[in-house]
């Protein structure tokens, strides 16, 4: 299930070392919008290690979601290489937790959480055990037979988390999973996600626009430049695990890290804003 | 659905003990359900009275009581049951023959841009043609037997179901297709777990519209080329000037439409329990 896009002018991919899960080289994504070509991701290089919680922050429109969608195989790169190490057995390479509502309104919570396993035709007993486990972990057991419209936004995103973890993928891709939630729900879910993740230690690629969230969740935080998206800086987050969101935020190093990342991000956000304003001005005339 | 305590609430501590607002004795007169039943009853009573007094011409508008009496007579003789059964049978076969391909094609077209590009123009061009206009052609091809009637109704049923199914699939948010792709759903699984359930509300709407179309076409077909069925009953009654019989036929047709709408509504509750109501 590895995602490989090789352009002719690149040397053959170097063998990924065992500690490396994802190796991205010279990745380019362009698309045409209203006749003109836009470069969303520009010659991006990136290595993500096995078992790390890798967070990408960037201003809106910097191509971070495009990058994640390419990793997920939902978009085709325009150039460059994405190397994802083959998982053993018949495990899926990656599962995504999407931004906003992505659980099927026509399925119960249970069927939603079981979706990946059902699609892979796993034995019934196995599905029952795994899905039961993750519904329990996400506090959804009581709602197993409910439909999404009967749940709150936070609960629905929990279903999405349960669905991704139940699928038992090698890598979890998360696209701003909590951005639609209010502050309190967000904090709760960050805690829960960290707790579930601590049990499995799967490789995670997590997209966010929140520096707070990035420092809370990540082992490493990558700052992306405003369009076209490139790697501006990668910051190590040294906090020990298991982490607790509130305790973490009380530490002085937490503030320092936020400060550091913000310092790097600020100019990119300003640039993105300027670009948006220009675009809206142009759209008006 | 309890709007009992609609009265004003008094929270003032010094005020006399609040009188519990009581629902007035005549409130049910304004309830939706009562109104829904009351209006048709009123119309019937008025009609009956005007017919009895002789203000309206009972040769054209026989009193409701006379229609009921004739209906009971026709039921007893077995005539009504036979015509109704023949029509219902034609309807069901035609809905099956027209509806199932329409559903499958609609789902496939909804999922495939290529298929839409290939078939949209044909469907758009043939959709507005009144299907009753091609009945003579069907008589030529299929003869005077059952086939021609079933065929014209099936064609009429096909369009609303196909068009609504395509629209239903197209209305499914792209994110659900991304989920299918990301979780490894194969083509058939996408069909079964995303396209069909996602489009189901509009598919049912399509069936509802299709039934109206089916009744219309069936009656026309039976008037023109049949020796049985409700359309034939109405036409024959006109030719022999048995106006009451004509009305009995009309009442049965309207009942059929009503029952089918109820059936679809019931199905909706069973098949689309996830829809916010």
């Amino acid at each position: 299930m590895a995602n490989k896009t090789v352009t002719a002018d690149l040397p053959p991919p170097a063998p990924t070392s065992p500690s490396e899960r994802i190796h991205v080289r010279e990745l380019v994504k362009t698309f045409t919008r209203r006749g003109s070509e836009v470069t969303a991701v520009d010659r991006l290089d990136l290595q993500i290690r096995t078992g790390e919680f890798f967070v990408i922050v960037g201003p809106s429109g910097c191509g971070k979601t495009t990058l994640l969608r390419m990793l997920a195989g939902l978009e085709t790169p325009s150039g460059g290489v994405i190397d994802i190490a083959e998982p053993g057995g018949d495990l899926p390479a990656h599962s995504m937790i999407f931004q906003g509502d992505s659980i099927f309104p026509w399925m119960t919570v249970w069927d939603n959480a079981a979706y990946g396993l059902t699609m892979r035709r796993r034995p019934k007993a196995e599905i029952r055990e795994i899905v039961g486990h993750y519904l329990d972990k996400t506090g959804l057991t009581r709602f197993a037979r409910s439909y999404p419209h009967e749940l709150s936004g936070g609960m629905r995103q929990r279903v999405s988390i349960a669905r991704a973890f139940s699928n038992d993928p090698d890598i979890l891709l998360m696209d701003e999973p909590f951005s639609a939630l209010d502050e309190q729900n967000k904090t709760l879910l960050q805690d829960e996600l960290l707790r579930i993740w601590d049990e499995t230690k799967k490789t995670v690629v997590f997209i966010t626009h929140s520096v707070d969230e990035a420092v809370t969740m990540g082992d490493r935080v990558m700052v992306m430049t405003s369009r076209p998206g490139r790697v501006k800086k990668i910051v190590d987050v040294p906090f020990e695990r298991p982490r607790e969101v509130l305790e973490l935020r009380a530490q002085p190093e937490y503030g320092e890290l936020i400060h550091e990342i913000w310092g790097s991000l600020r100019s990119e956000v300003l640039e993105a804003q300027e670009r948006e304003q220009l675009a809206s001005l142009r759209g008006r005339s | 659905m309890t709007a009992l305590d609609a009265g004003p609430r008094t929270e003032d501590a010094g005020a006399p003990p609040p009188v519990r607002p009581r629902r007035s004795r005549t409130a049910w007169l304004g309830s939706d359900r009562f109104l829904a039943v009351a209006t048709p009853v009123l119309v019937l009573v008025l009609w009956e009275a005007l017919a009895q007094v002789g203000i309206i011409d009972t040769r054209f508008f026989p009193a409701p009581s006379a229609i009921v009496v004739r209906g009971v007579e026709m039921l007893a003789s077995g005539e009504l049951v036979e015509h109704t059964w023949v029509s219902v049978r034609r309807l069901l076969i035609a809905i099956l023959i027209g509806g199932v391909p329409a559903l499958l094609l609609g789902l496939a077209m909804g999922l495939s841009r290529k298929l839409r590009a290939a078939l949209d123009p044909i469907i758009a061009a043939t959709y507005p043609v009144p299907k009753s206009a091609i009945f003579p052609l069907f008589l030529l091809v299929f003869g005077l037997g059952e086939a021609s009637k079933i065929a014209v109704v099936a064609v009429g049923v096909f369009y609303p179901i196909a068009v609504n199914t395509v629209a239903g699939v197209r209305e499914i948010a792209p994110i659900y297709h991304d989920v299918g792709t990301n979780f490894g759903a194969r083509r058939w699984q996408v069909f079964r777990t995303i396209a069909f359930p996602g489009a189901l509300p509009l598919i049912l709407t399509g069936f509802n519209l299709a039934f109206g179309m089916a009744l219309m076409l069936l009656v026309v077909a039976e008037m023109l080329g049949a020796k049985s069925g409700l359309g034939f009953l109405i036409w024959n009654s006109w030719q022999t000037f048995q106006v009451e019989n004509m009305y009995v036929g009309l009442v049965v047709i309207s009942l059929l439409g009503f029952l089918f709408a109820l059936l679809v509504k019931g199905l909706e509750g069973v098949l689309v329990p996830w829809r916010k109501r």
Side-chain angles (χ1 to χ4, degrees), chain B residues 35-213:
Chain B
L35 287 173
V37 177
T39 335
V41 168
L42 189 70
V43 169
L44 283 176
V45 167
L46 204 65
W47 181 356
E48 180 75 35
L50 292 176
Q52 295 290 354
V53 175
I55 292 177
I56 53 175
D57 191 339
T58 49
R59 284 175 308 170
F60 307 138
F61 307 106
S65 57
I67 298 169
V68 170
V69 168
R70 181 56 56 87
V72 171
E73 281 169 22
M74 290 170 75
L75 262 180
S77 71
E79 188 190 359
L80 187 59
V81 176
E82 196 203 310
H83 285 303
T84 306
W85 168 239
V86 166
S87 287
V88 166
R89 207 176 72 102
R90 285 172 184 152
L91 281 173
L92 292 180
I93 295 175
I95 288 174
L96 206 67
I97 292 178
V100 172
L103 184 66
L104 294 177
L105 188 73
L107 287 175
M109 279 178 70
L111 288 174
S112 157
R113 204 166 55 88
K114 287 257 153 63
L115 209 56
R116 277 202 302 281
L119 297 179
D120 259 347
I122 300 184
I123 289 186
T126 52
Y127 190 27
V129 176
K131 305 306 168 289
S132 46
I134 50 171
F135 185 55
L137 179 66
F138 280 28
L139 278 174
L140 276 178
V141 176
F142 295 107
L144 285 164
E146 287 296 286
S148 56
K149 276 146 284 228
I150 289 172
V152 75
V153 176
V155 169
V157 162
F158 178 88
Y159 284 89
I161 294 177
V163 169
N164 273 284
T165 306
V166 175
V169 176
R170 302 268 288 146
E171 234 178 49
I172 298 170
I175 195 167
Y176 298 124
H177 291 289
D178 285 345
V179 172
T181 308
N182 189 245
F183 283 84
R186 288 161 222 275
R187 187 181 291 256
W188 169 244
Q189 290 173 320
V190 170
F191 227 75
R192 201 169 47 79
T193 63
I194 299 173
F196 179 67
L200 203 48
L202 267 180
I203 292 174
L204 287 175
T205 305
F207 269 91
N208 226 344
L209 292 173
F211 195 77
M213 177 64 82

Side-chain angles (χ1 to χ4, degrees), chain B residues 4-27:
Chain B
L4 296 180
D5 304 76
R9 246 167 240 265
T10 43
E11 310 248 332
D12 195 345
V19 183
R20 207 163 159 247
R22 274 174 101 191
R23 190 182 162 173
S24 80
R25 262 166 226 277
T26 52

Side-chain angles (χ1 to χ4, degrees), chain A residues 52-254:
Chain A
E52 82 170 323
F53 202 119
F54 191 85
V55 181
I56 300 171
V57 281
S60 60
C62 75
K64 51 192 192 299
T65 292
T66 310
L67 170 61
L68 197 74
R69 286 177 64 84
M70 284 193 281
L71 293 180
L74 295 172
E75 304 262 0
T76 325
S78 312
V81 186
I82 296 175
D83 246 324
I84 296 181
E86 292 274 357
D90 60 341
L91 289 186
H94 45 70
S95 300
M96 186 132 158
I97 299 176
F98 291 83
Q99 183 180 8
D101 267 343
S102 72
I103 59 170
F104 300 119
W106 49 84
M107 289 184 195
T108 59
V109 165
W110 180 279
D111 288 341
N112 264 297
Y115 191 68
L117 294 169
T118 315
M119 292 303 101
R120 277 161 48 215
R121 302 180 193 287
R122 302 305 303 166
K124 285 234 162 64
E126 182 190 322
I127 296 181
R128 215 173 304 130
E129 193 194 317
I130 297 178
V131 173
H133 174 75
Y134 283 110
L135 286 191
D136 187 37
K137 287 278 152 203
T138 46
L140 287 165
T141 307
R142 279 192 306 136
F143 302 101
R145 290 164 155 281
S146 302
Y147 283 91
H149 77 264
E150 299 165 290
L151 305 179
S152 66
M155 283 304 206
R156 285 204 288 271
Q157 205 52 309
R158 282 184 176 91
V159 180
S160 185
I161 292 171
R163 174 171 70 186
F165 275 93
S166 296
N167 200 29
D168 195 18
D170 207 42
I171 300 163
L172 284 158
L173 305 172
M174 309 188 188
D175 182 16
E176 305 201 30
F178 308 137
S179 64
L181 303 180
D182 62 69
E183 195 61 38
Q184 296 149 25
N185 257 308
K186 190 187 276 193
T187 309
L188 280 179
L189 268 153
Q190 286 168 345
D191 249 337
E192 277 175 41
L193 180 63
L194 282 178
R195 228 176 302 136
I196 299 170
W197 178 76
D198 269 320
E199 285 177 13
T200 56
K201 293 283 182 198
K202 286 181 187 298
T203 311
V204 172
V205 185
F206 188 106
I207 302 277
T208 182
H209 61 260
S210 152
V211 178
D212 256 315
E213 188 166 74
V215 174
T216 303
M217 311 293 285
D219 291 318
R220 287 197 297 159
V221 176
M222 169 180 128
V223 180
M224 253 174 112
T225 60
S226 165
R227 188 180 300 160
R230 290 202 192 108
V231 182
K232 179 160 192 187
K233 189 175 191 179
I234 293 183
V235 178
D236 280 303
V237 181
F239 300 122
E240 270 177 31
R241 294 190 190 269
R243 292 178 186 171
E244 234 231 278
V245 176
L246 285 180
E247 270 175 39
L248 205 64
R249 290 186 179 162
Q251 297 187 34
E253 293 94 332
Y254 182 83

